[in-house]
Each structure stands twice: as structure tokens, then as C-alpha cells.
Amino acid sequence: MTKTSQQIRRDFLEFFQSKGHQIVPSSPLVPGNDPTLLFTNAGMVQFKDVFLGAEKRSYKRAVSSQRCVRAGGKHNDLDQVGYTARHHTFFEMLGNFSFGDYFKREAIAYAWELLTKVWGIPADKLLVTVYHTDDEAFDIWHKEVGLPADRIIRIGDNKGAPYASDNFWQMADTGPCGPCSEIFYDHGPSIPGGPPGSPDEDGDRFIEIWNNVFMQYDRQPDGTLVPLPAPCVDTGMGLERIAAVLQHVHSNYEIDLFQHLIKAAAALTGATDLEHKSLRVIADHIRACSFLVVDGVLPSNEGRGYVLRRIVRRAVRHFWKLGGLSADGKFWRMVQPLVEAMGEAYPELAAKQKLVEQALRAEEAAFAQTLDAGMDRLHEYLAAGGNRIGGEQLFQLHDTYGCPPDLIADLLRENADKGWTLADGALAGYEALMEQQRERARAASKFAGTTALPADLVATLKPTEFLGYEALESDGCRV
Ligand code: ATP
Ligand code: MG
Ligand code: MG
Ligand code: MG
């Protein structure tokens, strides 16, 4: 019998509890302490001020299973979803934290004990990375854990912007950061992809399961690194990725939790191929959309609400692709199976089921009215434009039919074999037209509408305030 996701989550929390860690519940997806961050994208977000020394807690060790969304802002994985075995818009990050208590040695020893002793993962399936100058971490892995030197890979920070490095972790442009050591699982030579640091590292053979960040600095707006008052540990392991390892499957979508959702989507559409990309995308998106509503986000044309709107519309487009939409909607019917799969671990989801269903249903209904016509128009554009979609057309598809550019880009990418593509500069052209429209709207102080919902339901939501600029920078429409 393999372990269920539920059991794996519990194992993790209990293991670290037995090592003196306080179990801390997941914080919401809308960060309460940081209006510049679009969504909670890691377990450390709720502890940011503790790392910075600005906030004290009654404990120095914590463990959590944090709900995360990476669909906008600095960590945006929306365009990976459906294309890799390991990226979701919404996922759960298991993490242990030390606030000025233990550091590299203990963090590495704990991780190794849990993976190889408690869970029994064969040591020769694992390899690790360290920051290129971090001899201390290298020596701990090599001399104390006993990992052969050729399974410890040094990774630099020369991939562009400093924060783009895989082995120097940073939550955002400023804030706590430090070198990290990542643990990878080798799913075997039958799957394409090279080890970390190699040219084909982006394949799905060597999957990063756990990142151990050794937080030592607070990055300032000018880029300088100021040492933290006390070095800390922040780790993150994707529950879905470790579940795939422990359930002896390759893709996250094959784990128990996702299979439940995929079967529900298949039942709604009549699809029979459970590996169909659209079913996977729907199963991914229902989690992000539902938890965003639970945490106070409603579909809208700006900021967080716009990210939610685009994810709902992508999901609806996949239902459409699998055979059309029905008058009473489909996507919102995925909320019930989600509550079955995750309601016990997240009681707030079960408690807000009705609200989530109504919000998603209203958004689906609005989009379903124009989607058919939008798709027809897209095909006309493709036929007339030699399979290319330009900025003006992107703008029309969005403005008239509610099809956001990232949805179109994803559709074109799916049909790349037919030669469908965005024209050069299409996104820039689209942005320019959007900006002109915003100017006109500002001039007319037009109201940017949100989904119509009963006022009493809306009153149950906490307002969400977003003061950052990340949403504008990364509208998710990069391809
Ligand atoms: P990757 O390189 O695979 O994109 P990452 O380096 O961006 O992952 P981290 O920021 O180090 O990820 O996050 C810690 C852990 O969270 C990862 O090791 C992984 O297990 C998990 N994780 C990160 N992004 C996702 C995602 N989009 N979906 C599912 N799990 C994720
Ligand atoms: Mg990533
Ligand atoms: Mg990585
Ligand atoms: Mg990582």
C-alpha cells in the first residue's frame, strides 16, 4: 500500500513536530503582511517578518503545509501547467523553518532522515545541488551524509538576474534570501532530461523535490545584501512532487489527489483518456481558482482578480475543447470533488463551498456567452493572417470576446504543429492598445466591473489590497 497525499502531509508535520517544531496552519493565498506580493508563493511568506527579526514568535522552529499559488508575479508557473509533470498554479508546500535556531547541518540531516529513513527512498535515486561557493553545505552532504561527490552539483548564479539563479533563493526583489541546496529525485533514464546544471536540465527526469534555503541576507532595494540578525532555515517541498515519488508514479497528475479530480472532469466531459492535457489543466485550475475565492479574491479586471479571471477562462476553454459547454456550466461542478479531496485538510474550503461555486459559476457563464464566437473569430484571423495572430487581433479577442492573450498564446502553442503562432511583437502591440484603452477609460472614469455576486456573499469576503506592480509586469502572457 502506498501512502496517500493526506498521509504524506501528516508524516511531514509529525516528523518535524518530533524534532521540536511547532505545527503552524497554512496562511491564506493573499499575504496579510505584504501588500506588494501578489500571492503567497512559498511557506516562508507568513514568516517573513520573523526572518527579518521584526517579529518575535513563541517558537524558534516551525513546520507547515502552505497553500501556494505561482500564477503571477516573480514566480509565475502558469505557462508550464499542462506542459511539465511537476508544475501547478496551486500547490502545497511542506516546509520546516528555523528562526535563528539550527542551520545547515541540522536542516540537511533532517531532510535526509525523513527521505531515506522514514520514507525509505533509496539514496542512489537522490542527488543534490549546492550554491557554487557553499563549501560548507558541500562538505555536510559529502562527509556527514556520505553522498558521493559526483551526486553533489555546484550551481552558480550566472543565469541572468541574480534572483534567477536556482541556488540563490529569493522571495521577491527585496527581502530575506540566501544560498540553497536542492534535492532531486531521478525518475529514471526512460524519461528525457538531464541533471541540474546540464543543458537539458528542464526535462522531467530529475525532478526537484525539496529546496533547503539557508537564509542569511535581507536584499535591499539597491540590490545589496545585508546579513540577517541570525541565520535561518527555510525549506519547501512540493507535496504533489513527493507524493509522486512515494506513490511510484512519474507525473504529479498521477497521484491520488489529482486522479480524483481528473476522473471528475472526465465524467463531466465524457473524455476517456485520463492523460488528456485538458483534464490535467482543469484539475490544476480548479484548485487555484477555488482557493483564491476562499481567500477573498473574485474575478475582476485588475491585480489578483485578473489572475483569477484568466485561470477560470483557461479552464473553461479546456472544457470547451473537450466537447463544448453546457448551459448550466461545468467548471463550478469541480468544486464538490475538490472538497472531497481537500476539504478535510482545509476546512475553510469546505466552509465556503457555496461561495466558491457561485463565483466560478458566474464567471463561467459570462465567458461561455462569448467563447464560441471568439474561437470562430480566432480561426478567421488565422486563416486571413497566415496562421499568425498580431497585437490588434489579440486586443479584439480580449476586448470583444473576453479571451485573454495568455489563453490565446496557450492555444496557439498547443497547435504549433499547424504553424499557429503569435506574430513578432504581438504582445507589445496588444499592451499598447490596452494602455490606450485604459487611458480612455480613465478619462471616462469607467467602472471596471467584477463578477456579479449576491451582496451577502461578497460581504463574507475579506477585502484584498494589492499595491505591487508585479501583476502588470507579468500578465502571464509571455510564451
Ligand atoms: P522548479 O525549478 O521545478 O520550477 P523551483 O525551484 O521554482 O521549482 P522553489 O521555489 O525552490 O521551486 O520551491 C520549493 C519547492 O516547491 C520545489 O522544490 C518544488 O517541490 C515545489 N514547487 C515549486 N514550484 C512548484 C509548482 N509550480 N508546482 C508544484 N510544486 C512546485
Ligand atoms: Mg520554478
Ligand atoms: Mg528549481
Ligand atoms: Mg528550487
Side-chain angles (χ1 to χ4, degrees), residues 70 75 77 86-88 91 93 166 169 182 208-211 236-238 240-241 252:
R70 293 193 175 182
H75 292 271
D77 291 339
R86 64 191 199 281
H87 286 103
H88 305 297
F91 64 100
M93 195 185 281
D166 277 347
W169 202 90
E182 299 192 318
E208 177 190 327
I209 52 173
W210 198 347
N211 191 357
M237 171 157 63
E240 302 79 2
R241 294 188 190 185
N252 288 4

Side-chain angles (χ1 to χ4, degrees), residues 9 29 68-69 88-92 239-240 255 257-258 261 281-293 331 338 341-342 349:
R9 189 193 293 115
L29 289 172
C68 295
V69 162
H88 305 297
T89 52
F90 171 98
F91 64 100
E92 290 177 76
L239 170 65
E240 302 79 2
I255 69 172
L257 203 159
F258 269 108
L261 297 173
V281 173
I282 289 167
D284 173 273
H285 287 9
I286 191 61
R287 303 204 314 157
C289 295
S290 299
F291 277 98
L292 284 172
V293 177
F331 189 45
L338 178 66
M342 297 186 70
L349 171 68

Side-chain angles (χ1 to χ4, degrees), residues 251-278:
S251 160
N252 288 4
Y253 292 101
E254 295 172 72
I255 69 172
D256 55 342
L257 203 159
F258 269 108
Q259 282 298 303
H260 185 72
L261 297 173
I262 285 172
K263 284 179 188 151
L268 281 171
T269 55
T272 49
D273 172 11
L274 294 185
E275 291 183 21
H276 197 292
K277 178 189 142 169
S278 292

Side-chain angles (χ1 to χ4, degrees), residues 50 88 393:
V50 188
H88 305 297
Q393 295 164 328

